Amino acid sequence: MFDQIVQRDFDAIITRDRMQLKNREERDALLTTGLTWVGLKDAKLSGLEKLSITTASLIAGLRFVVAAKHATPHSFLIYNVPHGETQRVKSFPLER
């Protein structure tokens, strides 16, 4: 699979499968192909909430992945952005 990704001119994969790095064959394939591995922890969310948190986390984290210049294949684990209501929004009534 990794060979096909490289043949299509991709430099990295983005996955929620953190076991890939523990699997010797998959880790060797990443090293052989030179692909960068980008992992994202699976948030225990669903629907719009999962979509918005995944998108926000990738946007916030990928700028560091893209900016990184390494001579050898690397892995990056992107942390999810805080997503509790009080972590993202403050609400108060408007008053005159």
Side-chain angles (χ1 to χ4, degrees), residues 3 5 12 20 35 40 46 50-51 53 74 78-79 86 94:
D3 289 334
I5 293 170
Q20 283 180 323
L35 283 170
L40 181 67
S46 62
K50 185 171 189 163
L51 177 63
I53 296 306
H74 270 67
I78 295 178
Y79 297 114
T86 58
L94 293 177

Side-chain angles (χ1 to χ4, degrees), residues 12-75:
I13 61 166
I14 300 173
T15 181
R16 291 179 199 259
D17 184 1
R18 294 167 61 186
M19 296 305 291
Q20 283 180 323
L21 297 181
K22 293 183 179 184
N23 180 309
R24 178 76 178 188
E25 287 179 18
E26 292 190 61
R27 194 173 61 248
D28 286 347
L30 287 167
L31 289 165
T32 300
T33 59
L35 283 170
T36 296
W37 182 93
V38 180
L40 181 67
K41 187 174 181 180
D42 194 14
K44 304 288 188 255
L45 307 168
S46 62
L48 181 59
E49 187 176 27
K50 185 171 189 163
L51 177 63
S52 64
I53 296 306
T54 298
T55 303
S57 300
L58 285 170
I59 290 170
L62 280 176
R63 65 188 181 108
F64 299 107
V65 174
V66 171
K69 304 292 183 211
H70 298 287
T72 59
H74 270 67
S75 64

Side-chain angles (χ1 to χ4, degrees), residues 45 49 53 80-90:
L45 307 168
E49 187 176 27
I53 296 306
N80 287 315
V81 296
H83 52 277
E85 182 178 354
T86 58
Q87 295 173 305
R88 305 303 317 156
V89 176
K90 182 175 182 178

